[in-house]
Amino acid sequence: MIKEKPIHFSDVSSCVDRIIETVGKTIVFGMPLALGKPNHLINALYQRAKSDPQIDLTILTALSLERPQCSGELEERFMAPIVERLWDGFVEFDYMTDLRTDSLPPNVTVSEFFVKAGGYLGNKTAQRNYISSNYTHVVRDILERGLNVMGNLIAKRSMGSETRYSMSCNADLPLELFNHIEEEGRSLGRKIVTVGQVNTNLPFMYGDADVTPEVYDFVVDSPQYDFPLFNVPKQPVATADHMIGAHVSSLVKDDGTLQIGIGSLGDGIAESLIMRHRNNPVYRQLLADLGIEARYGDLVDRIGGRDTFEKGLYGSTEMLVDVFMQLYRAGIIKRKVYDDKVIQALVNDGTLSETIDPGVLDRLLETGALSEHLTREDFDRLQRFGIFRSDLTFSGGMIRSHKRSWPADLSRTENRQRVAQDCLGDRLEHGSICQAAFFIGPRAFYDSLNEMSERERKQFCMTGVKKVNQLYGDEKLRRLQRKDGRFVNAGMMVTLLGAVTSDCLECGSVISGVGGQYNFVSMAHALDDGRLIMMIRSTRNKGNQVLSNIILNYGHVTIPRHLRDIVVTEYGIADLRGKSDEEVIKAMLNIADSRFQTTLLAEAKKTGKIARAYKIPESYRHNTPARLEKMMAPYRRKGFFQAFPFGSDFTEEEIVLGKALKKLKRKAAEGKLRLVPAIARQLLKKPAVALRPYLSRMGLAEPSDFKERVMQAAVSYALEAGGVRASGADGIRQGTGTDGKRAVSV
């Protein structure tokens, strides 16, 4: 094996040579999910396998990122400038290009345990090779599949002669893998290589992600391999997502813990939390107008709140997403936790505050957290967390500075007072406001991390997925840190009895993956004051049909009904914990779209799970999209609940065009012949002046031939159907988001 580590390479081809020389031609290559892949290295290894059929290459990973692919000329005209602007320079994965065209060589297998939602529907190769694994079990599972090379993207920091690396965006699996490799893999004689590829665009993150160079056998480090990080632009927040976010925000408790994920639902939650904190009178009126106060006031009193976040929240989340930065800037994510059971318990009960005061030693002695005769352990703990000054030392029963010394006997009042006067620090140190296992997001998110000072960035601790996603290990500490945890997850469908489907269809087709959802569900139940909040959009569109996401039953579930807790749709909150089946069904019917309530109730009555005489209360029989829009209207006029509350990477023209073209594509899928008369009518007239900016953006303002005239007519029809009229873009409403940025609503 490698004796002196790491060996540095300035080109990936040489590194591939050394990998093959070390482990042979049967290579099982593991990479983290999403952002943390060594793109150049895996491409070089894959190309080597394509050219050498004697190499047997298995790639084990998740969420292989891809630039958007276009279908059709209209989509190409719309997307090409966006792709160039947002993803220019991103290094795509060669194996994904071949996987998409079903042209992987027979000596290469790609298996993923989590994929982009819907990304592999219809791809038989990807579906067959998908590995269903709980996030905290992935390390175990890929080791059992013979992993012998682990590669990830890393950040680098050099200070004088010292170099350190950071696993940055993906401490999730590499940390766990490296421990297993050291303890189990190499001890059994298996040849396993760890490889890092440096990218200077990657923020250097601290916590457990900050490692010494020798954890890697090989490091690829050359400016030629720097590339832009994958950009995940924000998607518009629909009315349903805003409404779900408003309900969820009332269930979050000040001085508690928050976990949320990426996407428009997370943005909706963050916007309402910021409204609650910065515009509390407006927020309280919102709770009244939406019926949250009247319907769920008791639940809000017990587990949530309406007030501002005076103490703040701690982020304990699998994924550090951009909205945590928004909540941090808004002064909501600010509750600090400490990696010490004694210190954390004292912080929780109020014995310690962030500011160190002269009475702290008295309180520590009263609680039994400190010995009257200070021990080395006592001193080290107090100094590490800033209670004692960093320039002090301890020896021979004395606290010492370079000029003075103090007896470590705190039983004597006079001596204790001198120590309190001379030796205390100013503030508690080494606190974290957020702990996460991986991150990915928009470019502005990466920029904000890179622009932080070292001290500020250290508040965001990146660590392994087993530490974030579960209580096992240092359970007492994690329980103390994650008090009043609100673990907010999303599902695709939910049954009337509370079982949730999130990852897969009943036919077995994978939509995304389990990821860590089960972890947070089980942790919410394991914590005495924890709650699971499962978000479900009440309906979905399939062609020209609207279908209910609340259903009687389903042939596949991700979260079984015995782990049900709280379900939130845009129409309300269903508190299911400890309820009987009939009570659960009633609560679920109350938050279903009213277009489906009658059918759902009839189906439930057939099962005998609900009384045949039961009727849904009148106050819950008006769950319609139109009613939601009416309730949102006055708040939108005030600048709230915009489509992009935290800004957008898209121009105003692109936002309007995107919505219009999406509707056009949906109509075309329903039947292209139905569009012919409408497009024909557009061909007979000159496009309205208000349409010109959008047509120019599509390169269709001055069509050069009949094909372009038809495309111009189709786009004009889509825009007018979406609300862009001769008098102007009526479908656009501009406002200011909750972070003060300009926002656009369509």
Side-chain angles (χ1 to χ4, degrees):
M1 293 301 293
I2 299 91
K3 294 182 179 179
E4 295 184 6
K5 301 189 297 178
I7 297 173
H8 290 87
F9 296 89
S10 59
D11 70 280
V12 291
S13 181
S14 297
C15 186
V16 169
D17 289 340
R18 193 58 182 270
I19 289 171
I20 295 172
E21 177 187 325
T22 305
V23 304
K25 289 194 172 185
T26 299
I27 302 170
V28 182
F29 192 98
M31 299 184 291
L33 81 171
L35 197 62
K37 295 177 175 59
N39 299 37
H40 291 93
L41 178 63
I42 189 58
N43 281 349
L45 184 59
Y46 175 65
Q47 291 299 334
R48 187 72 63 88
K50 285 185 73 173
S51 64
D52 183 355
Q54 292 185 341
I55 293 176
D56 183 354
L57 174 62
T58 299
I59 298 172
L60 301 174
T61 188
L63 204 60
S64 296
L65 302 170
E66 304 170 276
R67 289 188 287 188
Q69 303 298 312
C70 301
S71 59
E73 188 172 343
L74 271 183
E75 193 170 324
E76 177 68 28
R77 285 171 177 263
F78 175 67
M79 286 300 301
I82 295 174
V83 171
E84 182 178 356
R85 187 172 75 240
L86 300 186
W87 291 283
D88 183 43
F90 176 72
V91 178
E92 300 230 60
F93 298 105
D94 294 343
Y95 67 85
M96 287 301 295
T97 301
D98 290 348
L99 179 63
R100 289 295 182 193
T101 57
D102 197 26
S103 55
L104 286 173
N107 60 323
V108 175
T109 301
V110 177
S111 290
E112 301 198 64
F113 66 87
F114 196 92
V115 303
K116 177 185 175 183
Y120 286 162
L121 283 176
N123 189 312
K124 294 180 181 179
T125 300
Q127 290 286 341
R128 287 197 298 267
N129 290 316
Y130 170 79
I131 299 172
S132 183
S133 184
N134 196 62
Y135 203 1
T136 53
H137 299 156
V138 169
V139 169
R140 176 202 68 191
D141 292 348
I142 64 177
L143 281 169
E144 288 185 359
R145 293 180 69 89
L147 176 87
N148 57 11
V149 184
M150 172 65 197
N152 66 311
L153 204 65
I154 55 176
K156 175 183 175 182
R157 186 189 68 172
S158 296
M159 296 183 66
S161 59
E162 182 187 20
T163 296
R164 293 188 71 88
Y165 295 122
S166 172
M167 297 174 186
S168 187
C169 58
N170 281 90
D172 54 339
L173 299 179
L175 275 174
E176 313 293 345
L177 271 166
F178 290 176
N179 289 336
H180 278 275
I181 287 170
E182 193 64 40
E183 295 169 10
E184 299 175 21
R186 287 173 179 154
S187 66
L188 296 174
R190 187 193 301 176
K191 293 180 179 179
I192 301 177
V193 172
T194 57
V195 190
Q197 178 182 321
V198 174
N199 187 334
T200 59
N201 293 307
L202 201 59
F204 193 100
M205 302 302 292
Y206 294 90
D208 296 327
D210 180 4
V211 296
T212 55
E214 61 267 17
V215 303
Y216 291 98
D217 295 314
F218 305 148
V219 170
V220 177
D221 188 358
S222 172
Q224 67 179 313
Y225 299 126
D226 287 337
F227 61 95
L229 304 180
F230 190 86
N231 189 16
V232 183
K234 286 188 169 296
Q235 297 303 306
V237 184
T239 297
D241 299 342
H242 281 304
M243 294 292 286
I244 289 172
H247 284 85
V248 170
S249 70
S250 70
L251 304 177
V252 178
K253 195 169 189 176
D254 188 23
D255 202 27
T257 305
L258 182 65
Q259 179 259 329
I260 51 179
I262 198 170
S264 58
L265 284 167
D267 288 359
I269 296 168
E271 181 182 19
S272 286
L273 287 172
I274 293 172
M275 181 197 289
R276 172 178 162 182
H277 188 61
R278 288 183 169 175
N279 300 278
N280 195 255
V282 178
Y283 178 77
R284 285 173 174 268
Q285 186 61 50
L286 176 72
L287 297 189
D289 291 345
L290 297 185
I292 295 174
E293 187 65 63
R295 294 178 176 181
Y296 315 112
D298 291 343
L299 181 65
V300 172
D301 287 335
R302 283 191 289 112
I303 73 166
R306 309 165 186 78
D307 295 328
T308 58
F309 293 94
E310 296 305 311
K311 295 183 179 180
L313 301 176
Y314 167 60
S316 181
T317 183
E318 176 182 281
M319 183 178 185
L320 176 61
V321 292
D322 175 59
V323 294
F324 277 97
M325 292 295 109
Q326 308 295 344
L327 294 172
Y328 167 63
R329 295 190 191 103
I332 295 173
I333 294 291
K334 60 185 177 183
R335 180 173 79 85
K336 291 186 177 180
V337 304
Y338 303 87
D339 276 341
D340 184 279
K341 291 187 285 290
V342 174
I343 296 296
Q344 189 62 53
L346 295 171
V347 169
N348 283 11
D349 67 20
T351 300
L352 280 178
S353 63
E354 190 173 350
T355 302
I356 306 301
D357 64 87
V360 66
L361 295 180
D362 292 328
R363 296 196 301 275
L364 293 176
L365 288 169
E366 289 170 6
T367 59
L370 198 61
S371 306
E372 286 189 333
H373 297 274
L374 278 183
T375 65
R376 163 65 67 178
E377 182 183 5
D378 290 329
F379 177 83
D380 289 346
R381 173 178 283 123
L382 294 177
Q383 187 174 60
R384 178 189 172 199
F385 291 100
I387 299 172
F388 277 165
R389 299 195 328 256
S390 60
D391 62 321
L392 301 176
T393 60
F394 183 87
S395 64
M398 301 290 288
I399 303 169
R400 305 178 187 276
S401 72
H402 65 287
K403 292 182 178 180
R404 297 179 57 188
S405 62
W406 301 262
D409 180 4
L410 301 185
S411 64
R412 295 168 53 199
T413 303
E414 182 181 346
N415 187 59
R416 187 167 67 251
Q417 289 175 345
R418 284 201 300 269
V419 171
Q421 179 180 333
D422 299 335
C423 300
L424 297 182
D426 297 321
R427 305 178 69 82
L428 285 179
E429 298 288 346
H430 301 300
S432 299
I433 59 173
C434 189
Q435 186 181 69
F438 75 99
F439 66 70
I440 187 171
R443 187 175 298 155
F445 171 57
Y446 307 138
D447 291 343
S448 68
L449 289 173
N450 275 316
E451 290 164 4
M452 284 181 177
S453 67
E454 180 181 74
R455 183 179 180 86
E456 189 177 19
R457 205 182 313 149
K458 281 184 175 180
Q459 297 178 104
F460 296 85
C461 172
M462 300 301 296
T463 187
V465 70
K466 284 192 174 181
K467 189 172 181 179
V468 172
N469 282 34
Q470 59 190 15
L471 298 175
Y472 308 134
D474 199 347
E475 183 170 342
K476 183 176 179 181
L477 174 62
R478 294 175 193 178
R479 285 180 175 275
L480 289 167
Q481 291 176 335
R482 297 169 194 177
K483 68 189 185 80
D484 291 308
R486 301 293 175 263
F487 304 104
V488 189
N489 282 256
M492 297 187 300
M493 293 177 283
V494 59
T495 71
L496 283 178
L497 291 174
V500 176
T501 298
S502 304
D503 68 308
C504 183
L505 302 180
E506 59 186 348
C507 64
S509 292
V510 175
I511 300 297
S512 55
V514 175
Q517 185 172 100
Y518 170 76
N519 291 132
F520 288 103
V521 171
S522 61
M523 184 158 51
H525 285 281
L527 290 167
D528 295 337
D529 51 8
R531 296 303 298 262
L532 163 71
I533 302 170
M534 190 66 71
M535 303 179 293
I536 307 286
R537 297 181 181 98
S538 70
T539 63
R540 68 186 185 278
N541 293 315
K542 184 178 181 180
N544 59 354
Q545 286 184 294
V546 178
L547 303 175
S548 176
N549 285 329
I550 297 177
I551 52 182
L552 178 66
N553 52 45
Y554 197 66
H556 167 79
V557 296
T558 313
I559 306 300
R561 68 187 182 108
H562 70 272
L563 292 178
R564 61 198 179 199
D565 195 346
I566 294 173
V567 176
V568 176
T569 73
E570 63 268 35
Y571 297 116
I573 303 167
D575 181 11
L576 310 180
R577 183 178 283 194
K579 302 293 175 61
S580 69
D581 282 356
E582 183 175 46
E583 290 169 331
V584 169
I585 292 171
K586 289 178 180 178
M588 293 302 301
L589 289 170
N590 287 346
I591 63 171
D593 190 294
S594 290
R595 289 170 287 182
F596 304 97
Q597 285 175 325
T598 301
T599 300
L600 287 169
L601 177 58
E603 291 175 336
K605 287 180 178 179
K606 287 181 182 178
T607 68
K609 284 285 188 178
I610 194 168
R612 297 200 64 84
Y614 179 75
K615 294 182 180 180
I616 299 171
E618 176 61 25
S619 59
Y620 294 97
R621 295 302 305 272
H622 306 283
N623 294 345
T624 65
R627 180 169 167 268
L628 297 185
E629 295 292 349
K630 184 178 180 180
M631 289 191 293
M632 288 285 98
Y635 291 93
R636 284 187 166 133
R637 288 193 290 269
K638 295 177 183 178
F640 299 105
F641 302 122
Q642 304 299 307
F644 292 91
F646 303 113
S648 173
D649 286 322
F650 305 115
T651 67
E652 294 180 9
E653 287 82 9
E654 288 167 349
I655 291 168
V656 175
L657 277 166
K659 184 176 181 180
L661 293 175
K662 190 177 292 185
K663 286 185 176 179
L664 181 68
K665 188 174 183 178
R666 192 159 55 238
K667 286 180 180 292
E670 295 170 8
K672 292 183 179 180
L673 290 178
R674 297 180 184 178
L675 291 174
V676 172
I679 294 174
R681 286 193 294 271
Q682 288 288 341
L683 281 168
L684 299 175
K685 63 180 183 179
K686 186 177 181 180
V689 174
L691 304 184
R692 193 165 187 84
Y694 308 102
L695 294 173
S696 295
R697 168 61 180 76
M698 295 288 290
L700 295 171
E702 303 293 339
S704 60
D705 54 27
F706 183 71
K707 180 182 178 182
E708 287 196 350
R709 284 184 62 203
V710 172
M711 286 193 290
Q712 182 196 66
V715 174
S716 298
Y717 162 73
L719 288 166
E720 290 189 355
V724 181
R725 306 298 184 201
S727 59
D730 296 338
I732 304 176
R733 293 186 294 279
Q734 297 180 356
T736 302
T738 51
D739 62 348
K741 292 182 179 179
R742 195 179 187 197
V744 178
S745 177
V746 293

